[in-house]
Amino acid sequence: MSTNHLHLKERMLPAPRNGGFRMEGYWVWCGSAIKGEDNRYHLFASRWPKTLPMHPGWMFQSEIVRATAPDPCGPYQFEEVVLPARGPAYWDGCSTHNPIITKWDDTYVLYYMGTTYPFESPGPKEPLPPEDVRVQTARSNKRIGMAVSRSIFGPWERKDTPILSTRPACFDNYLVSNPAPCYNPDGSVLLLYKARGYKQPPYTGQLHTDMVFGTAKSSHFSRPFCSVSDIPLFTGQKVILEDPFIWRGADGYEMIAKDMNGNVCGERFGGIHASSLNGTDWSLHMGELAYSRNILWDDGIVEEMGSLERPFLLFEGGIATHAFFATSNGCNNFMDATETWNMVIPLKDPKGL
């Protein structure tokens, strides 16, 4: 797959106000779409009840759902819960999140993050400050898993162990999450992921380090995944990134991701672009804004979104045709949001640029 990424922002058409996916009474996040065997579009997203705070409520009651629409823009209609809670004895038994839907040969492969905790889920409107032991426990148990199905309608076979866990002596010894898979022509898989490590004592404030990216590989999605990096990506460059999305381009691999500070793309919470020949060594395109929180809607209004995260590109015929984002209202990332949803931005044909 390829796309003329240098023009991705310029390729973005007005976003449909009534597109994407929302659910009354729920926070909706993530968003990953694929064309199913029924020739409809299936969006895999995460949701959790608004009786919990948006953050960190997702750590406790998020579940992955499937919604459908006849075209990529939607609006998408809820169909089913795909990965519900299944009990604290399972590694992903209390929360499933970060869905990325893919297909290899005749198998749909759903990558996701899961976590568990040994206590009752927080009650409605209950305060959940970062230092709460429940928050720390649920966060530190985040791991990456996989579910597979021969049909987009399921049933989905969940694994009872993660495909990627933490490593005690490495930068990813606190948590791993936010999987970003990419298939190679031979069926092998490159998997980028977000990680945090435990801070060194004495502990002050949060227990974990800032977010970093790691790299894992597998010879096939059905075989073991192994982290291949002993140091995180972009070490020493003083950047903090989140939410990678990767794909194969004409000259290797391409990445877009959220710039937490804006010192790579020039816009806080905007999108960065990076590229790699081998999937392990990545170069940042400094100063390039891959996407912006300032969105042009189809009613002609330009709006700065409170947050714009979890970027996902839908490819058809080898061309990126639509960009999906988790988004919110408000003006302080998602911390003051009253509404969150999945939005879709159609993309111009790059041949016309």
Side-chain angles (χ1 to χ4, degrees), residues 48 52-61 128-130 135 138-139 335:
W48 59 103
L52 292 175
M54 188 276 173
H55 177 74
W58 59 271
M59 294 186 200
F60 298 98
Q61 291 187 27
L128 292 168
V135 175
R139 178 180 280 119
M335 299 307 295

Side-chain angles (χ1 to χ4, degrees), residues 188-335:
S188 61
V189 187
L190 172 68
L191 182 74
L192 263 59
Y193 60 95
K194 184 181 90 173
R196 292 185 190 266
Y198 279 100
K199 284 185 175 179
Q200 296 296 317
Y203 299 114
T204 58
Q206 64 185 24
L207 294 176
H208 52 74
T209 62
D210 288 332
M211 297 178 288
V212 293
F213 290 168
T215 309
K217 294 182 179 180
S218 173
S219 60
H220 189 269
F221 72 82
S222 62
R223 301 189 185 112
F225 283 77
C226 296
S227 295
V228 297
S229 51
D230 292 330
I231 58 174
L233 301 184
F234 313 124
T235 298
Q237 299 188 51
K238 297 182 180 179
V239 300
I240 301 178
L241 307 176
E242 189 179 22
D243 295 336
F245 176 82
I246 62 172
W247 70 97
R248 286 185 62 90
D251 301 313
Y253 300 91
E254 307 290 337
M255 178 203 303
I256 52 178
K258 179 185 176 184
D259 190 346
M260 297 299 291
N261 294 327
N263 57 351
V264 178
C265 71
E267 180 184 305
R268 187 171 183 239
F269 303 144
I272 66 98
H273 171 216
S275 57
S276 172
L277 294 176
N278 57 16
T280 303
D281 304 303
W282 289 83
S283 297
L284 291 166
H285 294 236
M286 301 300 293
E288 180 186 337
L289 182 63
Y291 58 84
S292 171
R293 282 194 297 146
N294 293 288
I295 296 298
L296 172 62
W297 295 101
D298 60 1
D299 57 11
I301 295 175
V302 175
E303 180 181 3
E304 183 179 77
M305 308 308 296
S307 56
L308 197 72
E309 303 191 8
R310 306 294 298 144
F312 175 87
L313 299 180
L314 175 67
F315 285 84
E316 297 199 85
I319 300 295
T321 61
H322 295 78
F324 291 73
F325 295 94
T327 194
S328 72
N329 63 1
C331 58
N332 182 23
N333 206 8
F334 47 65
M335 299 307 295

Side-chain angles (χ1 to χ4, degrees), residues 58-238:
W58 59 271
M59 294 186 200
F60 298 98
Q61 291 187 27
S62 178
E63 57 188 3
I64 292 173
V65 301
R66 180 176 61 86
T68 61
D71 64 79
C73 283
Y76 287 82
Q77 301 299 316
F78 171 77
E79 295 286 348
E80 65 171 342
V81 177
V82 176
L83 299 182
R86 56 175 178 167
Y90 292 92
W91 70 272
D92 62 346
C94 295
S95 175
T96 56
H97 200 64
N98 294 153
I100 294 290
I101 185 64
T102 67
K103 189 178 184 183
W104 183 257
D105 290 336
D106 60 353
T107 303
Y108 293 96
V109 186
L110 179 62
Y111 298 82
Y112 65 99
M113 179 228 86
T115 191
T116 188
Y117 46 83
F119 40 76
E120 293 291 329
S121 180
K125 310 300 181 184
E126 191 173 346
L128 292 168
E131 64 274 12
D132 191 312
V133 67
R134 296 171 299 176
V135 175
Q136 294 180 4
T137 301
R139 178 180 280 119
S140 66
N141 283 335
K142 290 164 60 177
R143 304 291 185 266
I144 293 172
M146 175 192 294
V148 297
S149 175
R150 293 296 179 91
S151 169
I152 199 68
F153 303 100
W156 293 89
E157 178 187 347
R158 293 164 73 165
K159 296 183 179 297
D160 291 340
T161 56
I163 64 167
L164 197 69
S165 293
T166 55
R167 297 179 292 171
C170 290
F171 64 87
D172 50 8
N173 60 16
Y174 185 76
L175 65 80
V176 293
S177 65
N178 300 55
C182 180
Y183 295 95
N184 297 307
D186 63 358
S188 61
V189 187
L190 172 68
L191 182 74
L192 263 59
Y193 60 95
K194 184 181 90 173
R196 292 185 190 266
Y198 279 100
K199 284 185 175 179
Q200 296 296 317
Y203 299 114
T204 58
Q206 64 185 24
L207 294 176
H208 52 74
T209 62
D210 288 332
M211 297 178 288
V212 293
F213 290 168
T215 309
K217 294 182 179 180
S218 173
S219 60
H220 189 269
F221 72 82
S222 62
R223 301 189 185 112
F225 283 77
C226 296
S227 295
V228 297
S229 51
D230 292 330
I231 58 174
L233 301 184
F234 313 124
T235 298
Q237 299 188 51
K238 297 182 180 179

